[in-house]
Amino acid sequence: MNNNEILYLYDAKLCNPNGDPDEENRPRMDYEREVNLVSDLRLKRYIRDYLLDLGYDIFVRGVDGKTVNAEGRTKEFKEFTDEWILNNLIDVRMFGATMPVKGDNKTFIGPVQFNWGYSLNKVELLESSITSHFSSDTGNSQGAIGKDYRVKYSLIAFFGVVSGKRAERTKLKDEDLELLDRAMKYAIVNLATRSKVGQYPRLYLRVEYKDSHTILGDFRDYITLTEKVENIRDIEEVSLDITRLVERLAENRDKINRIFYFADSSLELMLNGSRVDLKDALKDFNLVEVK
């Protein structure tokens, strides 16, 4: 398998993309820059849950609806050879895992890795009080009052890498990456909870190279967000300039095998000052649309 690099954008409106347990579950923030943050573990959780929903077994999950640690999870396995693990646990093939075995650790380094996502726009938080129908104490006639924290609007960008060399060690398959593509398109919407409703995927690129050593670098450095109004609250109020990204890819066209993609029509993409469809912007490449 060859190297791949990934750009993924989704937005969040009046929801909590990734609560910080050390901050009363407020959305994670870089307060100095007013930038919303989302951990790579949150994104992987969406992907794992989507795969589990499709019927694939995964390592990082609960058992019988209960949360368990890694040691408790390994007790569920009838076998524990490397071959069995990599053949049966798709999230280990993708993301790797550390598994405790008889006082020792069995470690797989995953080929698919993301760094933390961050918002391309400055983000404001919305704080409100909520009242539960259930009281905090027995006999209390009033419901319990708590705090609810959400972002007003956040357009979040992730960058990821698929290591071809590590993929060989974990037996990652092309079919696994096709499932990853589908998860990036459907997982966030289909697995929404109360705090996550309001998130939608907007743009995805997985650039597959012709070898296992090419890395062009963080694609987020080559895109620029333009806000059409102050204090944006909707995807229709922004445009994304992809001129430098397309140029970067064009400069390395001979190293690129295929580009897997999807783009939401609500996100306005700009190329050399004009609005463009992603398919047209990348017409010189071998494109595969994620369905």
Side-chain angles (χ1 to χ4, degrees):
M1 182 173 289
N2 299 329
N3 281 359
N4 292 248
E5 289 184 291
I6 293 170
L7 176 68
Y8 181 50
L9 272 65
Y10 69 94
D11 62 354
K13 182 191 292 188
L14 296 177
C15 60
N16 187 344
N18 187 196
D20 186 344
D22 293 327
E23 289 283 338
E24 299 181 283
N25 208 44
R26 289 181 175 87
R28 296 182 187 272
M29 292 287 295
D30 176 347
Y31 288 103
E32 293 180 353
R33 297 294 180 92
E34 300 176 85
V35 169
N36 181 210
L37 304 173
V38 178
S39 75
D40 60 317
L41 297 181
R42 175 63 268 184
L43 181 58
K44 289 177 180 177
R45 183 74 266 159
Y46 284 126
I47 297 167
R48 284 188 170 102
D49 288 349
Y50 178 79
L51 295 172
L52 187 62
D53 234 27
L54 291 180
Y56 293 89
D57 197 7
I58 61 173
F59 176 64
V60 183
R61 68 173 179 85
V63 177
D64 296 328
K66 298 178 181 179
T67 301
V68 297
N69 58 23
E71 187 174 357
R73 181 71 177 103
T74 58
K75 291 178 180 178
E76 298 294 312
F77 302 140
K78 296 179 180 179
E79 293 187 53
F80 209 75
T81 63
D82 287 5
E83 183 177 6
W84 185 92
I85 290 167
L86 296 177
N87 284 338
N88 288 275
L89 302 174
I90 187 172
D91 64 328
V92 179
R93 294 200 299 271
M94 285 184 180
F95 307 131
T98 297
M99 303 176 174
V101 186
K102 296 180 181 179
D104 197 4
N105 286 331
K106 184 184 292 289
T107 299
F108 301 92
I109 300 176
V112 180
Q113 298 297 335
F114 298 93
N115 53 16
W116 278 42
Y118 57 75
S119 64
L120 301 178
N121 61 301
K122 290 186 176 182
V123 171
E124 298 177 57
L125 298 185
L126 177 67
E127 177 182 337
S128 62
S129 297
I130 56 173
T131 302
S132 169
H133 286 292
F134 295 99
S135 63
S136 56
D137 297 304
T138 303
N140 190 343
S141 61
Q142 295 183 333
I145 297 177
K147 291 291 186 181
D148 190 38
Y149 302 96
R150 298 177 179 241
V151 298
K152 292 184 179 178
Y153 184 80
S154 179
L155 181 58
I156 301 158
F158 271 92
F159 174 71
V161 174
V162 182
S163 167
K165 292 181 178 179
R166 288 203 298 268
E168 292 176 5
R169 299 190 190 107
T170 66
K171 299 185 178 181
L172 187 72
K173 310 169 187 176
D174 288 333
E175 294 81 8
D176 296 337
L177 288 181
E178 292 171 8
L179 283 169
L180 175 69
D181 296 339
R182 289 169 55 195
M184 301 296 262
K185 185 171 185 179
Y186 297 110
I188 285 180
V189 175
N190 289 342
L191 300 171
T193 60
R194 176 182 175 274
S195 67
K196 300 295 186 285
V197 171
Q199 299 186 134
Y200 296 95
R202 299 299 184 181
L203 180 69
Y204 177 73
L205 292 178
R206 175 165 64 86
V207 180
E208 178 190 78
Y209 299 117
K210 295 180 178 179
D211 55 56
S212 60
H213 63 264
T214 297
I215 292 290
L216 300 185
D218 195 329
F219 289 158
R220 295 173 297 185
D221 294 338
Y222 301 96
I223 58 176
T224 304
L225 187 72
T226 298
E227 302 180 23
K228 301 176 184 179
V229 299
E230 291 186 15
N231 304 318
I232 60 173
R233 298 289 182 267
D234 190 83
I235 192 67
E236 301 283 355
E237 298 174 347
V238 302
S239 64
L240 188 73
D241 194 309
I242 59 172
T243 302
R244 293 174 60 230
L245 177 59
V246 172
E247 290 174 349
R248 177 70 168 155
L249 296 175
E251 291 166 359
N252 295 275
R253 186 182 296 113
D254 60 332
K255 301 176 183 178
I256 296 172
N257 186 28
R258 294 178 293 178
I259 298 179
F260 299 80
Y261 78 98
F262 65 77
D264 186 87
S265 60
S266 298
L267 175 60
E268 182 178 84
L269 300 176
M270 303 297 292
L271 178 66
N272 295 319
S274 299
R275 183 166 185 171
V276 66
D277 290 334
L278 186 61
K279 185 176 181 179
D280 293 334
L282 300 174
K283 64 181 184 300
D284 295 330
F285 298 89
N286 182 12
L287 299 179
V288 180
E289 186 175 5
V290 179
K291 299 292 188 178

